[in-house]
Each structure stands twice: as C-alpha cells, then as structure tokens.
C-alpha cells in the first residue's frame, strides 16, 4: 500500500508499506490520490504543491526578441522609435546577437513604450518560448 510521510502538514515522501508502519517524528497516512511530495496534508485532504514561480530570462536571442516584437504587435512602433535614437542604439538593435533584460538601452526603449517592469518580464518570458 502507498503511504504518505507527513512532517507537520508537508508531504515529504511517498513510500510502499504496511499501514501499521510508524516513523518517529512523522505522521504516516494511506495515500489518497492525488497526493504529491512537496504538497500538503491537512484534515484528511491532500493538496498539490504550489506552482513554481516563473523564471524571467536575463536575455533572449535577437531572433526571439524580434519575433516577440511581431507577436506583441510592437515591431513597427519599435522600428520607428529606434530610427529616432543615436547610431549606437540603432547599431545595438540591428547587430546584437542577444537582448539583455537589464541593459540600460533596453530599459529606455521599454519606458518609451510605457511598459512596466512586470510587462517587460512578461515580454522576455514569452520571447524565451519562441
């Protein structure tokens, strides 16, 4: 029989064993599906562990960045804005192999679009999937 090993309210392991099995310092209960290591057990109910927080990539490839501009409907607006910037910014946009989230030029460009930090994170997270 599958048993859940509980410490406090946290499911720390799932084992095969006799329902009379005991382990000092732990509560052992029959596993009722679904039960998950990392989840919780309280009042006879198993709960799944929380979803991990999304990891925002520090950089994306130029291909991913440009494709995400298109997906977000921003390519024309960004291209027009880039055309008004100093040649160093234009070169960085055209010739960079990757785009770094924390780069000052990147922050300036997103600020010109009115993007919040959360929106920039979402942009980079979506771009990383392309």
């Amino acid at each position: 029989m599958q048993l859940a090993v509980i410490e406090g309210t946290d499911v720390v392991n799932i084992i095969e064993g006799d329902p009379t099995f005991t382990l000092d310092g732990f509560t052992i209960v029959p596993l009722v599906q679904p039960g998950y290591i990392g989840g919780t057990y309280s009042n006879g109910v198993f709960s799944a562990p929380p979803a991990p927080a999304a990891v925002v990539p520090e950089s994306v490839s130029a291909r991913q960045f440009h494709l995400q501009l298109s997906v977000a409907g921003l390519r024309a607006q960004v291209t027009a804005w880039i055309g008004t910037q100093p040649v160093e910014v234009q070169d960085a946009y055209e010739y960079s192999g990757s785009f770094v989230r924390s780069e000052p030029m990147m922050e300036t460009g997103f600020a010109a679009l009115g993007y919040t930090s959360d929106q920039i994170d979402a942009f980079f997270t979506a771009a990383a999937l392309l």
Side-chain angles (χ1 to χ4, degrees):
M1 157 180 267
Q2 285 193 313
L3 304 171
V5 180
I6 314 296
E7 184 175 30
T9 60
D10 297 329
V11 179
V12 296
N13 207 349
I14 296 173
I15 61 173
E16 290 285 335
D18 184 290
T20 60
F21 176 76
T22 61
L23 188 60
D24 287 343
F26 297 92
T27 302
I28 309 296
V29 298
L31 179 66
V32 176
Q33 297 295 337
Y36 308 92
I37 295 174
T40 59
Y41 177 80
S42 181
N43 298 321
V45 177
F46 288 96
S47 299
V55 176
V56 178
E58 178 56 28
S59 67
V60 295
S61 72
R63 175 188 166 277
Q64 291 170 312
F65 186 84
H66 289 284
L67 285 173
Q68 184 59 30
L69 286 176
S70 293
V71 169
L74 297 172
R75 185 179 289 271
Q77 186 178 357
V78 168
T79 300
W81 181 81
I82 290 291
T84 68
Q85 298 306 298
V87 70
E88 296 83 11
V89 174
Q90 293 177 29
D91 285 348
Y93 178 75
E94 186 172 344
Y95 299 115
S96 290
S98 63
F99 287 82
V100 179
R101 162 74 175 84
S102 60
E103 190 64 38
M105 280 190 268
M106 188 68 56
E107 291 177 3
T108 300
F110 276 111
L113 293 170
Y115 266 51
T116 66
S117 183
D118 288 344
Q119 288 173 309
I120 300 169
D121 289 348
F123 181 95
F124 270 79
T125 301
L129 300 174
L130 298 175

